[in-house]
Amino acid sequence: MDTCACALELLGMLVYVGAWLCALATTILPQWLTMSTALLPVESYELGLWETCVVQDVGGMECRAYDSLLGLSSDLKLARILMCTALAVGMLGILVAIPGLYLINSCKDHGGYRTKRTFTIIGGVLGMVSGVLCLIPVSYMAHLAVIHFFDDKVPDVVPRWEFGDALFCGWAAGFFLIVAGLLMVTSCMCSQVEPQPVLQRRYQVMGANINQRKRSEYV
């Protein structure tokens, strides 16, 4: 593998791990949607996948987990399922891609370089799938917030949910997961020829010289 392909592979893996951690933070954070009211300017509310929080300007924060899974709205259930699936697929992609790294000494006796390329490509594809699964719930929750925010049927005095920090973190995570997957696949496309070990090439040269000497002796 040449230097460019190896650098793309390492860069893709670093971005992969960082994006997965970002997706994990998005899943845990309660700041998916935020809301502040004019009646209580010292307090704001935050809505997450697992809990709701009340934040006070003095620095206090009180969170409460949802009482029942069956009592959740379909939007939160869908977001939970998709984010957990994205994390599982992303982790599987990382575990599959690690043995395929050029710097990892593995798969030497089971197909060699082609097997490592297969692992890397599968890991990259799983990363792109994980990124898409991460972008779907984040974009869907943002879409619902926009629809409710500009709903003319709701009076202006009624507070509305707005974008939280977790949505922006989720967009970044999904984007970089897709980028990481593309980098992993591109690194395999850039290295089409299987490199031969130095000793193997040396033995081949020595064998060719011996055969040439035998032919000359017969002549």
Side-chain angles (χ1 to χ4, degrees), residues 87-156:
L87 290 175
V89 173
M91 176 58 68
L92 179 62
I94 293 175
L95 295 178
V96 171
I98 287 177
L101 294 177
Y102 180 71
L103 298 180
I104 302 298
N105 188 13
S106 63
C107 305
K108 296 298 184 182
D109 300 330
H110 303 280
Y113 184 68
R114 292 184 179 179
T115 304
K116 294 176 72 68
R117 283 187 57 193
T118 302
F119 280 138
T120 304
I121 292 176
I122 293 176
V125 172
L126 289 176
M128 290 185 282
V129 173
S130 177
V132 173
L133 291 174
C134 181
L135 289 176
I136 290 175
V138 174
S139 301
Y140 180 67
M141 294 293 290
H143 173 69
L144 293 179
V146 171
I147 291 178
H148 295 159
F149 189 87
F150 293 102
D151 191 359
D152 296 333
K153 299 179 181 179
V154 180
D156 295 337

